Amino acid sequence: MHISVSAAPTAAALVLIGGGLASFNDADVGPSGRMALAVLVRDGGGRLYGGISGYTAWGWLYVQWLWLDAGHRGQGLAGRMLAAAEAEARARGCHGAYIDTFNPVALKVYRRAGYVPFGELGDFPKGRTRTFLQKQL
């Protein structure tokens, strides 16, 4: 066997790794039911100003990315986007949600939305703390 490290793995290698892990997990704990979830914020002309990208699996919503254009922050849109994602997750049978951040402003937004910290990584990135939060749905 030969072990190599790559900064540019092939798409086929990533598909094989992901599929192998999914098969293992399916056999171990049952199918995840993983389904993509996106919340999009657009103006009347269809221009995208923010959104959430994540997925639901094993009864949990994972918010991978939450972004708002700088000109639209501070208006409660992040909380409304989270509420929309959570409502869809509930409709899919989810009982919890989780998210992480190293941004102090985002941390306040998530806490206001009912998320509770359950773990931290110091200096991730240097000088910041990455906080992991969860919420029961």
Side-chain angles (χ1 to χ4, degrees):
M1 296 310 245
H2 172 74
I3 296 176
S4 64
V5 177
S6 173
T10 65
L14 294 177
V15 166
L16 186 62
I17 292 166
L21 179 59
S23 293
F24 173 84
N25 287 337
D26 286 353
D28 187 38
V29 297
S32 69
R34 183 177 171 140
M35 188 183 313
L37 189 150
V39 176
L40 306 173
V41 177
R42 298 181 186 273
D43 67 9
R47 181 172 173 201
L48 187 66
Y49 284 93
I52 287 175
S53 174
Y55 61 85
T56 55
W58 286 301
W60 283 83
L61 163 65
Y62 173 52
V63 177
Q64 182 177 17
W65 300 330
L66 187 155
W67 167 77
L68 269 171
D69 179 74
H72 291 81
R73 295 178 188 155
Q75 301 173 28
L77 285 170
R80 290 170 48 202
M81 289 190 314
L82 284 168
E86 293 163 8
E88 175 61 21
R90 278 188 207 93
R92 295 180 184 186
C94 291
H95 61 273
Y98 65 107
I99 192 168
D100 65 90
T101 187
F102 54 79
N103 182 287
V105 174
L107 180 60
K108 289 178 187 175
V109 169
Y110 303 153
R111 291 184 80 138
R112 258 195 318 267
Y115 287 77
V116 178
F118 68 87
E120 295 181 341
L121 288 173
D123 280 333
F124 192 112
K126 190 83 171 156
R128 294 279 184 101
T129 298
R130 176 159 275 176
T131 304
F132 298 85
L133 303 103
Q134 67 178 332
K135 179 178 181 177
Q136 296 301 309
L137 298 180

